Amino acid sequence: SATAADGVGLLEFCEVPAASPGRTAFPMAPFHGLAADAVPEAVAVEQLAIAPTRRAVLLPGDGGGGGGPAADAGPAVAVTPQGLAVGLAADSSWSWLGIGHDGGATATPDLRFTTVTGPFRQAMQTNNLFLVLGDPAEFHRFGSVAYELTTATLDVIATVPVDHGGVPGSVLDAVRGAMHDTAYDTRTAFTAALAEACPGITDAEQCVFLRYGGLLTPVAGGWPFRLSPDSWRESTFLIVKFVLGRSIADLVDDVSTWAWPRAASRTGRPADARAAVRGVVEAAREEGDGSPYASFLQVVDDPDWTGVLALSAEVPLDRLPDELQVLAAGIDPARFAAHHFGLSLTPFRLADGRPVFERSAMFGLIDYRNPEDQYAGENIAFAFRVLQLTVGVRNSAVTAFTSRAELLVGRLFGAPARLLPTTRGNNVLLDGALQRQQLPDGTTHDTYVFSMAGQNTFQLAGPVLQSVELLSAQLVTAKASDPASGRATVDAVFRLTGNLRFSEPERFDPFCWGPDTSGEDGYLRFGGLAVAMSFDLGDPAGTTRFTLQDGNLSFDAANSRPRARSLAARFPVRLNGLLATPDPELSAGPPPPPQTPADLGYVSVTAPLDQSELTRPWYGLDYTVDLGSLGALAGSRALALQVLVAWSPGAADAEPGLYLGVRLPGAAGLVGVDLPLQGVVTMGFRSVEFLVDEEAERPRTYTLRLRDFALRLFGLAFPPGHNDVILFGNPDQGGASKVGWYLAYASAADPKRPPPPALPSALRSGRKG
């Protein structure tokens, strides 16, 4: 070796033999002394005629090239004339061939073939190299990659059912016990270990482990691309080009320039591979200017580009970036692949006279399309589909990302839902975008955001809740899978916000929000509605589960609009939230035991409302009425009454239900309620009733009557007789925050005494009393 003046060591010469020629005579061309204007034609003659003929003479058949790999005695790292790194053993056999580097600076590239013999090695040493690989069976005769089944990989395989491409549990257990976390240099060694671990393993079961275990998987921008031949599809082709002066598009049409043509197609006919690759290029041209295929066309049309280009490379759904694992549930695996993935020549530098390889420049395009909308069925409450996913990678980083997905909603709040108006069925569209953030340390962080496109209003079947208008929807991955820790399940959630609209009962309106008879629109602004989705990463299509989380809604009263004659507008109630019971239609297992308002401490009350029995599922608006303080006798403790108005949408075998009830926190029931004051003194009442008064040209008035109110001491009631308390709001301020108390007393000792007086007309008519 020599040392340059600047102290940088020069690479030591290392001969990399291609083959032992069977004949010594081969055509030569006398190019010396050509005129300058004749050189381009001479170069073309060399590439088109002389070089293919020379190769055919020197390398007849499939043999030659130094035989199989020898025992590894510390192979030297050499570089072929094309610039590819090889591990060269003492007997001149190749221990490995590097086509790219995916990690940090190391002495050897990590994207490599581990067996390079026969025509494969001959091809990789060919001058003006152009190679098309499309037949994995032919490739495996002379080439291989390394294999390893990690614990994380085996955990993913465990989630794949046998009828969806998995293996039986007994086979998996046998392989796991004998082979987990053990690396194998060649396919031959890997399949031999499979047969030893499980003697009865079938070819199909072997293929599962081969597909998941191949290690030729570069990762660019967080996206993995499987290049191992066991993952090749019929549409997959691996193109290796180290020819200057001719483009891929040109070389594809000239099969005579192809090295190792027998490996180009599964049919054994290179013309079939030529037609397939040509079709990919022509389809990209048809996308037009400004399409995501522009960079691909630059590569295939550039006569001086060199590197490795894979067409239709597999992108494993079980290894998507964490934030995008949720998309696996809506992608058809049969259609999902990278349009192309490429590796430019891997750069290297010298350190102490030895090559150190840097990260390869990677590029690629995923352009998945499945534009057909989902269609709702009677038994489909929710479904998810990815309509489009486009990911562009350049210089090993994501430079373009667009996506569109849709959530099918067929059931909300226990009732069938229908999106109106719509041109896409019951589907809510979600657009995905990439947001790149600059961190304080100068690095960047990619965040993928999915949000709803436009507004969507679902009409609901049932007499109470008329519609659910969605103002926003976001899809987030709540918990990504972590196969390394044994977790292969993905949890995601669709977070929904919007407006609820209820129907208006004729005489008593406890639902408050929605359109009224005059045409004025009202609504109740909500948040916290969620559709949860989970699935096993190994089998998204067969394991996706949905649940509706509708019991933790939050309401924005300040941005809601109640009806003018509703309870919320004319009586001092405060909406606490929504009570929800599980919907049996959405239960994956046995339905939970039924629950009634009485189980929650509510007692039915009288009101001008047509009440009926609730059935499952039922939902209820929960209000609080602030009754004020009980004064010094109770230590100024505040007293509050909860009001529940509940409904059940009904089903094919059940009628809709309606319920109105109240409860006092801390009291077992309202009938005979005794509230402790001080010592042995208690206060109580017997029943509760809502009253409504409405006169022409006057606002509606709501009052709440507590019947048989009394103070009790040692079983004696004071005052004796029938005592009613009437609670009312400020008539001039509608639903003010506090109630007024009106007490009426009738002595039980005098049967001739008139009954308690009615509420003063000033209160009933909307004036202060």
PDB file of all heavy atoms in Angstrom, residues 671-690:
ATOM      1  N   VAL A 671     -88.582   8.477  47.832  1.00  0.00           N
ATOM      2  CA  VAL A 671     -89.786   8.231  48.612  1.00  0.00           C
ATOM      3  C   VAL A 671     -89.391   8.032  50.061  1.00  0.00           C
ATOM      4  O   VAL A 671     -88.671   7.107  50.423  1.00  0.00           O
ATOM      5  CB  VAL A 671     -90.551   7.004  48.083  1.00  0.00           C
ATOM      6  CG1 VAL A 671     -91.779   6.735  48.940  1.00  0.00           C
ATOM      7  CG2 VAL A 671     -90.949   7.225  46.634  1.00  0.00           C
ATOM      8  N   GLY A 672     -89.862   8.905  50.938  1.00  0.00           N
ATOM      9  CA  GLY A 672     -89.509   8.824  52.348  1.00  0.00           C
ATOM     10  C   GLY A 672     -88.118   9.320  52.641  1.00  0.00           C
ATOM     11  O   GLY A 672     -87.499   8.901  53.617  1.00  0.00           O
ATOM     12  N   VAL A 673     -87.557  10.201  51.804  1.00  0.00           N
ATOM     13  CA  VAL A 673     -86.211  10.697  52.022  1.00  0.00           C
ATOM     14  C   VAL A 673     -86.147  11.478  53.323  1.00  0.00           C
ATOM     15  O   VAL A 673     -87.023  12.282  53.635  1.00  0.00           O
ATOM     16  CB  VAL A 673     -85.773  11.597  50.848  1.00  0.00           C
ATOM     17  CG1 VAL A 673     -84.595  12.475  51.249  1.00  0.00           C
ATOM     18  CG2 VAL A 673     -85.381  10.736  49.669  1.00  0.00           C
ATOM     19  N   ASP A 674     -85.103  11.235  54.091  1.00  0.00           N
ATOM     20  CA  ASP A 674     -84.844  11.983  55.312  1.00  0.00           C
ATOM     21  C   ASP A 674     -83.416  12.507  55.229  1.00  0.00           C
ATOM     22  O   ASP A 674     -82.461  11.728  55.245  1.00  0.00           O
ATOM     23  CB  ASP A 674     -84.998  11.106  56.564  1.00  0.00           C
ATOM     24  CG  ASP A 674     -86.465  10.767  56.838  1.00  0.00           C
ATOM     25  OD1 ASP A 674     -87.309  11.658  56.638  1.00  0.00           O
ATOM     26  OD2 ASP A 674     -86.733   9.618  57.202  1.00  0.00           O
ATOM     27  N   LEU A 675     -83.277  13.817  55.151  1.00  0.00           N
ATOM     28  CA  LEU A 675     -81.964  14.436  55.074  1.00  0.00           C
ATOM     29  C   LEU A 675     -81.562  14.908  56.462  1.00  0.00           C
ATOM     30  O   LEU A 675     -82.299  15.673  57.095  1.00  0.00           O
ATOM     31  CB  LEU A 675     -81.994  15.621  54.106  1.00  0.00           C
ATOM     32  CG  LEU A 675     -82.356  15.254  52.653  1.00  0.00           C
ATOM     33  CD1 LEU A 675     -82.476  16.509  51.818  1.00  0.00           C
ATOM     34  CD2 LEU A 675     -81.309  14.331  52.070  1.00  0.00           C
ATOM     35  N   PRO A 676     -80.410  14.488  57.005  1.00  0.00           N
ATOM     36  CA  PRO A 676     -80.014  14.887  58.354  1.00  0.00           C
ATOM     37  C   PRO A 676     -79.677  16.366  58.410  1.00  0.00           C
ATOM     38  O   PRO A 676     -79.016  16.899  57.520  1.00  0.00           O
ATOM     39  CB  PRO A 676     -78.778  14.017  58.602  1.00  0.00           C
ATOM     40  CG  PRO A 676     -78.234  13.712  57.251  1.00  0.00           C
ATOM     41  CD  PRO A 676     -79.426  13.627  56.347  1.00  0.00           C
ATOM     42  N   LEU A 677     -80.188  16.993  59.453  1.00  0.00           N
ATOM     43  CA  LEU A 677     -79.847  18.399  59.697  1.00  0.00           C
ATOM     44  C   LEU A 677     -78.870  18.463  60.853  1.00  0.00           C
ATOM     45  O   LEU A 677     -77.682  18.274  60.691  1.00  0.00           O
ATOM     46  CB  LEU A 677     -81.118  19.208  59.954  1.00  0.00           C
ATOM     47  CG  LEU A 677     -82.115  19.238  58.757  1.00  0.00           C
ATOM     48  CD1 LEU A 677     -83.336  20.044  59.133  1.00  0.00           C
ATOM     49  CD2 LEU A 677     -81.451  19.775  57.519  1.00  0.00           C
ATOM     50  N   GLN A 678     -79.372  18.675  62.048  1.00  0.00           N
ATOM     51  CA  GLN A 678     -78.494  18.676  63.213  1.00  0.00           C
ATOM     52  C   GLN A 678     -79.074  17.744  64.254  1.00  0.00           C
ATOM     53  O   GLN A 678     -80.271  17.811  64.574  1.00  0.00           O
ATOM     54  CB  GLN A 678     -78.371  20.100  63.786  1.00  0.00           C
ATOM     55  CG  GLN A 678     -77.517  21.005  62.908  1.00  0.00           C
ATOM     56  CD  GLN A 678     -76.796  22.070  63.733  1.00  0.00           C
ATOM     57  OE1 GLN A 678     -76.912  22.110  64.948  1.00  0.00           O
ATOM     58  NE2 GLN A 678     -76.044  22.919  63.050  1.00  0.00           N
ATOM     59  N   GLY A 679     -78.212  16.856  64.771  1.00  0.00           N
ATOM     60  CA  GLY A 679     -78.647  15.920  65.806  1.00  0.00           C
ATOM     61  C   GLY A 679     -79.722  15.002  65.292  1.00  0.00           C
ATOM     62  O   GLY A 679     -79.562  14.311  64.286  1.00  0.00           O
ATOM     63  N   VAL A 680     -80.850  15.004  65.965  1.00  0.00           N
ATOM     64  CA  VAL A 680     -81.952  14.104  65.630  1.00  0.00           C
ATOM     65  C   VAL A 680     -82.970  14.756  64.710  1.00  0.00           C
ATOM     66  O   VAL A 680     -84.015  14.183  64.434  1.00  0.00           O
ATOM     67  CB  VAL A 680     -82.636  13.624  66.927  1.00  0.00           C
ATOM     68  CG1 VAL A 680     -81.694  12.749  67.735  1.00  0.00           C
ATOM     69  CG2 VAL A 680     -83.136  14.806  67.743  1.00  0.00           C
ATOM     70  N   VAL A 681     -82.696  15.949  64.220  1.00  0.00           N
ATOM     71  CA  VAL A 681     -83.632  16.664  63.345  1.00  0.00           C
ATOM     72  C   VAL A 681     -83.356  16.268  61.896  1.00  0.00           C
ATOM     73  O   VAL A 681     -82.214  16.288  61.434  1.00  0.00           O
ATOM     74  CB  VAL A 681     -83.500  18.184  63.510  1.00  0.00           C
ATOM     75  CG1 VAL A 681     -84.497  18.906  62.602  1.00  0.00           C
ATOM     76  CG2 VAL A 681     -83.720  18.575  64.958  1.00  0.00           C
ATOM     77  N   THR A 682     -84.406  15.891  61.160  1.00  0.00           N
ATOM     78  CA  THR A 682     -84.284  15.538  59.748  1.00  0.00           C
ATOM     79  C   THR A 682     -85.305  16.301  58.936  1.00  0.00           C
ATOM     80  O   THR A 682     -86.309  16.805  59.465  1.00  0.00           O
ATOM     81  CB  THR A 682     -84.491  14.031  59.515  1.00  0.00           C
ATOM     82  OG1 THR A 682     -85.797  13.669  59.938  1.00  0.00           O
ATOM     83  CG2 THR A 682     -83.457  13.213  60.294  1.00  0.00           C
ATOM     84  N   MET A 683     -85.033  16.371  57.615  1.00  0.00           N
ATOM     85  CA  MET A 683     -85.964  17.001  56.694  1.00  0.00           C
ATOM     86  C   MET A 683     -86.261  15.994  55.589  1.00  0.00           C
ATOM     87  O   MET A 683     -85.365  15.271  55.135  1.00  0.00           O
ATOM     88  CB  MET A 683     -85.355  18.267  56.099  1.00  0.00           C
ATOM     89  CG  MET A 683     -86.283  19.002  55.118  1.00  0.00           C
ATOM     90  SD  MET A 683     -85.467  20.367  54.264  1.00  0.00           S
ATOM     91  CE  MET A 683     -84.433  19.475  53.125  1.00  0.00           C
ATOM     92  N   GLY A 684     -87.487  15.910  55.138  1.00  0.00           N
ATOM     93  CA  GLY A 684     -87.809  14.950  54.101  1.00  0.00           C
ATOM     94  C   GLY A 684     -89.033  15.340  53.306  1.00  0.00           C
ATOM     95  O   GLY A 684     -89.734  16.313  53.633  1.00  0.00           O
ATOM     96  N   PHE A 685     -89.265  14.609  52.208  1.00  0.00           N
ATOM     97  CA  PHE A 685     -90.470  14.772  51.401  1.00  0.00           C
ATOM     98  C   PHE A 685     -90.768  13.436  50.745  1.00  0.00           C
ATOM     99  O   PHE A 685     -89.932  12.528  50.722  1.00  0.00           O
ATOM    100  CB  PHE A 685     -90.309  15.892  50.365  1.00  0.00           C
ATOM    101  CG  PHE A 685     -88.997  15.879  49.637  1.00  0.00           C
ATOM    102  CD1 PHE A 685     -88.817  15.102  48.510  1.00  0.00           C
ATOM    103  CD2 PHE A 685     -87.933  16.643  50.088  1.00  0.00           C
ATOM    104  CE1 PHE A 685     -87.612  15.085  47.850  1.00  0.00           C
ATOM    105  CE2 PHE A 685     -86.727  16.629  49.427  1.00  0.00           C
ATOM    106  CZ  PHE A 685     -86.556  15.862  48.306  1.00  0.00           C
ATOM    107  N   ARG A 686     -91.968  13.292  50.188  1.00  0.00           N
ATOM    108  CA  ARG A 686     -92.468  11.999  49.734  1.00  0.00           C
ATOM    109  C   ARG A 686     -92.335  11.749  48.238  1.00  0.00           C
ATOM    110  O   ARG A 686     -92.092  10.632  47.812  1.00  0.00           O
ATOM    111  CB  ARG A 686     -93.939  11.845  50.136  1.00  0.00           C
ATOM    112  CG  ARG A 686     -94.153  11.800  51.639  1.00  0.00           C
ATOM    113  CD  ARG A 686     -93.437  10.620  52.248  1.00  0.00           C
ATOM    114  NE  ARG A 686     -93.575  10.593  53.711  1.00  0.00           N
ATOM    115  CZ  ARG A 686     -92.982   9.732  54.495  1.00  0.00           C
ATOM    116  NH1 ARG A 686     -92.186   8.819  53.960  1.00  0.00           N
ATOM    117  NH2 ARG A 686     -93.132   9.773  55.798  1.00  0.00           N
ATOM    118  N   SER A 687     -92.518  12.756  47.415  1.00  0.00           N
ATOM    119  CA  SER A 687     -92.480  12.545  45.966  1.00  0.00           C
ATOM    120  C   SER A 687     -92.146  13.857  45.272  1.00  0.00           C
ATOM    121  O   SER A 687     -92.144  14.927  45.886  1.00  0.00           O
ATOM    122  CB  SER A 687     -93.827  12.007  45.457  1.00  0.00           C
ATOM    123  OG  SER A 687     -94.849  12.953  45.682  1.00  0.00           O
ATOM    124  N   VAL A 688     -91.845  13.721  43.949  1.00  0.00           N
ATOM    125  CA  VAL A 688     -91.414  14.863  43.142  1.00  0.00           C
ATOM    126  C   VAL A 688     -92.255  14.889  41.876  1.00  0.00           C
ATOM    127  O   VAL A 688     -92.600  13.847  41.308  1.00  0.00           O
ATOM    128  CB  VAL A 688     -89.918  14.757  42.790  1.00  0.00           C
ATOM    129  CG1 VAL A 688     -89.470  15.953  41.967  1.00  0.00           C
ATOM    130  CG2 VAL A 688     -89.070  14.645  44.055  1.00  0.00           C
ATOM    131  N   GLU A 689     -92.565  16.108  41.414  1.00  0.00           N
ATOM    132  CA  GLU A 689     -93.378  16.256  40.205  1.00  0.00           C
ATOM    133  C   GLU A 689     -92.938  17.497  39.449  1.00  0.00           C
ATOM    134  O   GLU A 689     -92.698  18.557  40.035  1.00  0.00           O
ATOM    135  CB  GLU A 689     -94.861  16.379  40.587  1.00  0.00           C
ATOM    136  CG  GLU A 689     -95.788  16.573  39.397  1.00  0.00           C
ATOM    137  CD  GLU A 689     -97.231  16.775  39.828  1.00  0.00           C
ATOM    138  OE1 GLU A 689     -97.456  16.952  41.050  1.00  0.00           O
ATOM    139  OE2 GLU A 689     -98.110  16.761  38.961  1.00  0.00           O
ATOM    140  N   PHE A 690     -92.773  17.350  38.118  1.00  0.00           N
ATOM    141  CA  PHE A 690     -92.499  18.500  37.258  1.00  0.00           C
ATOM    142  C   PHE A 690     -93.827  19.043  36.729  1.00  0.00           C
ATOM    143  O   PHE A 690     -94.698  18.292  36.279  1.00  0.00           O
ATOM    144  CB  PHE A 690     -91.616  18.101  36.068  1.00  0.00           C
ATOM    145  CG  PHE A 690     -90.151  18.341  36.296  1.00  0.00           C
ATOM    146  CD1 PHE A 690     -89.289  17.284  36.519  1.00  0.00           C
ATOM    147  CD2 PHE A 690     -89.634  19.637  36.288  1.00  0.00           C
ATOM    148  CE1 PHE A 690     -87.950  17.495  36.718  1.00  0.00           C
ATOM    149  CE2 PHE A 690     -88.295  19.863  36.495  1.00  0.00           C
ATOM    150  CZ  PHE A 690     -87.434  18.791  36.710  1.00  0.00           C
TER     151      PHE A 690
END
